[in-house]
Amino acid sequence: MYQIIHHKELNQLEVEHPGLKNRAKICLNDGASLQEFQLNGHAIIQDLSPLTYESTYASSILFPFANRVKDGVYAYAGKNFQLDINQVEENNALHGLVYNKTFNLVDCKTTSDTAHITLEYIETKASKGFPYTFSIQLEYIFGIDSLDLGVHIKNTDQTAFPFTIGWHPYFISDNLYESSIQFNSTQKIILGERNITTGVAETRTNLPLLIKGQQLDDCWRLNSDEVLFRTPKYNLQFNASGTNNFLQIYTPPKNNAIAIEPTTGISDSFNNKIGLQELQPNELYSITWSLRINENN
C-alpha cells in the first residue's frame, strides 16, 4: 500500500510503497520539485550534494520559459519586457519563474498500487518581466513501475501570454559511462555564446547516443515523444503528451548523474519563436511526462 506523509516543518511530501521498493520526496518550497525517487529499488533521482538546488534547478518545472532568455529581454504584443537576470555569469534569465515558488497541497489519495498527489501555485501578482497572472497545477501519479507528471496551466489574466514549458530532472546511473540515450531526431539546435540558440542543423539521431565520457549540454527537436535511457541496472522510458517536443541533455559536475530534460521550447524561444506558444485568457494548457522502468537483465 502506498503511503503519503506531509512533513510540515520542512514542507516536504514523502511517498512510499515498501512492498514495491518505491519511494519519493517532493519539496513544496522548491517549486514542488521531485528531489528523490526510487522505483523498484533503483535510485532514479537522488540529492545532488554538494551541488545545490539553486545551481542545478534539479527536477524543477520550467515555466513560463524553459532554458534561457538572452539578456532577459523579449518583445511580445508590441511591448518590450525585461526579466530578472538570475544567471549572472551569462547575463540571461534562466528556467522560468516557478522553480522557487511554494506550492500548496490540494489533494492526495492512495490505493494499493497508486499514489495521486495534486499541488498548486497561484500567481496573483503580475511581475515586471512577465506581467500576467496564472495558476499551475502539478499531478504526480506514482504507480507500480511508473511515474506520470501532469502539468496544467491556466491563464487567469485578461490578456494572452507567451510560454514554453519543461521539466529538469537529473537521473542516476550506477555507471554513466556505460549508459546511453536513444531518441529520434533530424534537427539539432546550434548553441552559440552564452548558450543562446543561433540556428538549427540537420542531423540524424536514431541510434543510441553513447554517453561515455562526453560533456553534454545539447538540444534536439524530437520526431517522436519517446526517449529511452539505458543504464547497466535499469532502462527508463520517457513519453510526453505535447506536440512540440525537444530534448535537452546536460552532464553536470557530478559523477553518474545526467539531466534529461523534456521541453516544448529551446534556448531563447521568447525571441526566436521556436516552440513558442500563446495561452489565451481563461484557457488551459496541459502536458504529461511519463516514466516507465524496466529491469536490465
Side-chain angles (χ1 to χ4, degrees):
M1 184 77 179
Y2 263 106
Q3 301 172 346
I4 302 172
I5 301 172
H6 187 185
H7 298 287
K8 293 186 178 180
E9 68 282 2
L10 299 173
N11 209 15
Q12 296 178 353
L13 296 177
E14 183 178 348
V15 184
E16 188 170 15
H17 192 310
L20 296 175
K21 298 182 181 179
N22 292 353
R23 183 179 178 277
K25 182 174 75 174
I26 301 170
C27 295
L28 300 185
N29 292 342
D30 291 332
S33 55
L34 182 65
Q35 291 299 307
E36 294 180 11
F37 184 38
Q38 177 179 296
L39 199 56
N40 291 5
H42 296 288
I44 307 297
I45 294 173
Q46 289 181 334
D47 186 283
L48 296 176
S49 295
L51 303 179
T52 64
Y53 176 73
E54 291 75 17
S55 66
T56 61
Y57 302 84
S59 291
S60 59
I61 300 299
L62 314 177
F63 176 84
F65 55 92
N67 215 298
R68 294 155 174 81
V69 177
K70 184 180 180 181
D71 298 320
V73 173
Y74 70 98
Y76 176 70
K79 297 180 181 179
N80 296 321
F81 299 99
Q82 174 68 66
L83 294 158
D84 289 338
I85 301 298
N86 61 329
Q87 191 189 34
V88 177
E89 65 276 17
E90 292 184 356
N91 198 52
N92 294 320
L94 181 66
H95 290 336
L97 303 174
V98 300
Y99 63 86
N100 58 356
K101 297 298 189 288
T102 296
F103 280 64
N104 293 316
L105 177 61
V106 175
D107 187 40
C108 63
K109 51 192 174 185
T110 61
T111 68
S112 59
D113 54 13
T114 64
H116 191 148
I117 299 170
T118 303
L119 309 168
E120 184 175 51
Y121 171 75
I122 299 175
E123 182 57 80
T124 59
K125 297 180 181 179
S127 64
K128 180 180 178 182
F130 192 77
Y132 312 99
T133 60
F134 58 87
S135 66
I136 175 170
Q137 275 199 353
L138 307 184
E139 283 188 286
Y140 285 96
I141 304 174
F142 299 90
I144 295 174
D145 58 359
S146 63
L147 166 65
D148 292 329
L149 173 53
V151 186
H152 311 286
I153 310 290
K154 184 176 182 181
N155 182 347
T156 60
D157 208 84
Q158 295 181 352
T159 59
F161 59 67
F163 77 98
T164 65
I165 192 168
W167 183 33
H168 202 313
Y170 291 78
F171 297 98
I172 301 299
S173 169
D174 73 316
N175 187 342
L176 190 62
Y177 189 91
E178 297 297 332
S179 302
S180 66
I181 303 172
Q182 186 164 357
F183 54 94
N184 189 321
S185 174
T186 50
Q187 291 186 327
K188 186 174 183 180
I189 308 304
I190 302 172
L191 299 176
E193 292 183 359
R194 297 158 53 197
N195 287 302
I196 296 298
T197 299
T198 59
V200 179
E202 297 300 315
T203 184
R204 183 166 295 280
T205 306
N206 52 21
L207 297 175
L209 174 66
L210 304 178
I211 298 171
K212 300 295 183 181
Q214 295 188 72
Q215 297 298 310
L216 298 167
D217 196 355
D218 299 271
C219 182
W220 293 263
R221 183 193 290 271
L222 297 179
N223 295 331
S224 163
D225 72 305
E226 184 171 302
V227 176
L228 183 61
F229 179 42
R230 290 190 175 96
T231 81
K233 293 290 184 64
Y234 69 87
N235 297 331
L236 200 64
Q237 179 180 315
F238 298 71
N239 290 93
S241 65
T243 54
N244 285 324
N245 290 309
F246 296 86
L247 182 69
Q248 182 85 26
I249 301 177
Y250 168 63
T251 47
K254 174 76 173 180
N255 288 339
N256 293 324
I258 187 167
I260 305 174
E261 310 164 47
T263 68
T264 65
I266 62 175
S267 173
D268 211 26
S269 281
F270 268 35
N271 290 302
N272 59 44
K273 314 302 183 187
I274 299 175
L276 191 66
Q277 300 179 69
E278 282 187 317
L279 195 61
Q280 299 296 324
N282 296 314
E283 283 193 350
L284 183 70
Y285 171 87
S286 296
I287 189 170
T288 299
W289 296 299
S290 300
L291 304 179
R292 299 288 184 274
I293 193 171
N294 293 300
E295 301 289 337
N296 194 356
N297 296 323

